[in-house]
Amino acid sequence: MDFTFTEEQQAATEAARAVFSGVAPDAVPSPALVPGAVAEDIDRALWTGLATGDLLSLTLEPEHGGAGLDLVALCLVLRESAKVLARVPLLETCAVAMALQRYGDRGLAAELLPRIGRGDLILTVGANGRTGHDPAELAVTARPDGASDSDSDSDSAGTRWVLDGVQSGVPWAQAADWIAVPAHTGDGRAVLALVRRDDDGVTIADQVSTNGELFGEVGLSAVRIEARRLIDAADAWEWLRSVLTTGTCALALGLGEAVLAMTSQYTGKREQFGFPVATFQAVAVQAADRYIDLRAMEVTLWQAAWRIAVGGRGDLPPAGDVAVAKIWASDGVRRVVQTAQHLHGGFGADTDYPLHRFHAWAKQIELSLGPAAAHEEALGDLLAAHRLD
């Protein structure tokens, strides 16, 4: 079997490295030194650079001005973005665009996707629900306009929909033009609504994430949208959530690789008793353990991304591979940054040194879309429901 990346995927990686080469991880104030958000907006210059480098259109079909690549290519780019703590909604925008392309109204896709690829539109998604502990689709109700909350009649293609509820912790909601909102209908179906930030009834309250970024609590009060802005395919939200989770694993891998490289450089220069501390057995063993973590994170990431990309059948659905990848990503990235802090000693806590910022981002990534324990439970449910021969 050939596990090498295709020429197109390798080209995407090289293009991403070129765009991210000028990004400094500490270009904004430290989250440890400011009481609120580190900045009021995303990195607009970087967003323009991503559009110019055709990285925002990477997974769009050629008919929409894209390269037609798959989730594996997107994860390669996300991996590079995390190495510099890129402050852009690359994952959210591309994931929602992919869902719209796969499941959405063709006319709406033709209107929005080319603009997304050019960087003219920013998308995000509410994937945390009201509290972050319950399924996100349960936090918002969707009902046909004029119907009661329990009415699930959605047969009419011209029916307008009414949305009510709250999605908390929406990444960079204030900067987004469109927000994908998972919701549930009266008969319990999960749907995906595309809401404009300036729609009547949409409110956004500021929230600050663990890594100091400006997130939002998106409130929906009788928000009315046309039918084509509601994606009601049976697996649309599950598919989008899997893409988001897998992309988060790619971010964890890139961040972990950057931190381990930073630790290697530091311990190779820091001397005790006349020798670099990297030559001490206790230090080398800890670094080796973290290297093994990263390789496990990598192989489970590509397995999950490949299963989603090819849609192949197996003993378990792709959700099983996604759960395994997120378990390794959450636990692995935490162990990597903890070891890095330990091996750096007091220097790792110096706010003039970027390691503490990587630690904050690692904690944000670890908990995003569920910590390891949540995915262990989900994996257990899948194993119980699917007999493995």
Side-chain angles (χ1 to χ4, degrees), residues 2-15:
D2 185 1
F3 293 101
T4 58
F5 297 113
T6 66
E7 291 184 6
E8 292 82 1
Q9 291 165 346
Q10 294 179 40
T13 302
E14 293 302 319

Side-chain angles (χ1 to χ4, degrees), residues 105-121:
D105 178 84
R106 296 304 174 204
L108 185 62
E111 290 178 20
L112 299 185
L113 294 180
R115 298 181 61 195
I116 293 169
R118 295 194 299 267
D120 297 337
L121 292 178

Side-chain angles (χ1 to χ4, degrees), residues 132-135 316 319-320 322-324 326-328 331 369-386:
H133 300 290
D134 300 318
L316 283 178
V322 174
V324 171
K326 190 56 165 68
I327 291 167
W328 272 104
D331 282 344
L369 295 157
H375 289 275
E376 288 168 353
E377 182 177 354
L379 181 60
D381 291 341
L382 281 171
L383 289 171
H386 295 79

Side-chain angles (χ1 to χ4, degrees), residues 50-364:
L50 290 170
T52 303
D54 295 327
L55 294 174
L56 298 181
S57 59
L58 197 67
T59 56
L60 300 182
E61 295 298 334
E63 63 185 283
H64 301 305
L69 299 185
D70 59 11
L71 179 58
V72 174
L74 176 59
C75 285
L76 285 167
V77 175
L78 290 169
R79 180 186 190 177
E80 298 302 318
S81 76
K83 294 178 181 179
V84 296
L85 307 183
R87 301 183 50 261
V88 287
L90 177 61
L91 169 58
E92 294 81 8
T93 293
C94 291
V96 175
M98 292 168 68
L100 174 60
Q101 178 173 257
R102 183 182 178 95
Y103 297 102
D105 178 84
R106 296 304 174 204
L108 185 62
E111 290 178 20
L112 299 185
L113 294 180
R115 298 181 61 195
I116 293 169
R118 295 194 299 267
D120 297 337
L121 292 178
I122 294 174
L123 280 62
T124 190
V125 55
N128 295 311
R130 183 181 292 272
T131 65
H133 300 290
D134 300 318
E137 67 272 17
L138 299 183
V140 176
T141 61
R143 59 181 171 82
D145 198 358
S148 65
D149 290 341
S150 60
D151 191 341
S152 60
D153 179 14
S154 59
D155 293 335
S156 173
T159 301
R160 290 174 63 85
W161 288 81
V162 182
L163 308 172
D164 289 281
V166 173
Q167 289 287 347
S168 184
V170 179
W172 292 294
Q174 294 84 347
D177 301 288
W178 291 77
I179 304 171
V181 179
H184 68 280
T185 62
D187 57 358
R189 291 183 298 112
V191 296
L192 190 63
L194 298 176
V195 176
R196 288 185 58 89
R197 180 164 49 91
D198 56 1
D199 279 338
D200 291 338
V202 175
T203 59
I204 300 178
D206 290 351
Q207 294 179 317
V208 180
S209 65
T210 301
N211 57 346
E213 296 299 332
L214 184 61
F215 282 19
E217 181 183 79
V218 178
L220 307 167
S221 179
V223 177
R224 286 170 167 78
I225 63 172
E226 55 189 323
R228 68 176 189 156
R229 287 165 57 184
L230 187 124
I231 301 173
D232 61 357
D235 61 340
W237 167 234
E238 181 181 356
W239 185 87
L240 175 56
R241 182 171 53 197
S242 292
V243 170
L244 290 167
T245 305
T246 305
T248 302
C249 296
L251 295 174
L253 176 61
L255 185 149
E257 289 175 330
V259 168
L260 188 60
M262 189 185 308
T263 305
S264 175
Q265 293 172 3
Y266 176 78
T267 57
K269 296 177 180 178
R270 177 74 166 89
E271 292 188 359
Q272 287 186 356
F273 311 110
F275 297 93
V277 296
T279 62
F280 298 167
Q281 185 178 35
V283 173
V285 167
Q286 291 183 68
D289 285 343
R290 300 296 77 83
Y291 176 82
I292 293 172
D293 277 335
L294 290 174
R295 297 291 68 80
M297 291 164 64
E298 183 176 18
V299 71
T300 54
L301 162 65
W302 300 132
Q303 171 72 7
W306 173 77
R307 284 292 308 279
I308 294 173
V310 301
R313 301 180 63 182
D315 293 329
L316 283 178
D321 298 282
V322 174
V324 171
K326 190 56 165 68
I327 291 167
W328 272 104
S330 292
D331 282 344
V333 76
R334 184 187 70 250
R335 289 192 290 259
V336 167
V337 294
Q338 285 177 342
T339 297
Q341 289 281 11
H342 174 65
L343 296 182
H344 275 82
F347 197 55
D350 189 342
T351 55
D352 290 329
Y353 188 69
L355 180 59
H356 76 287
R357 191 187 299 270
F358 280 88
H359 202 153
W361 276 72
K363 180 57 66 175
Q364 178 69 34

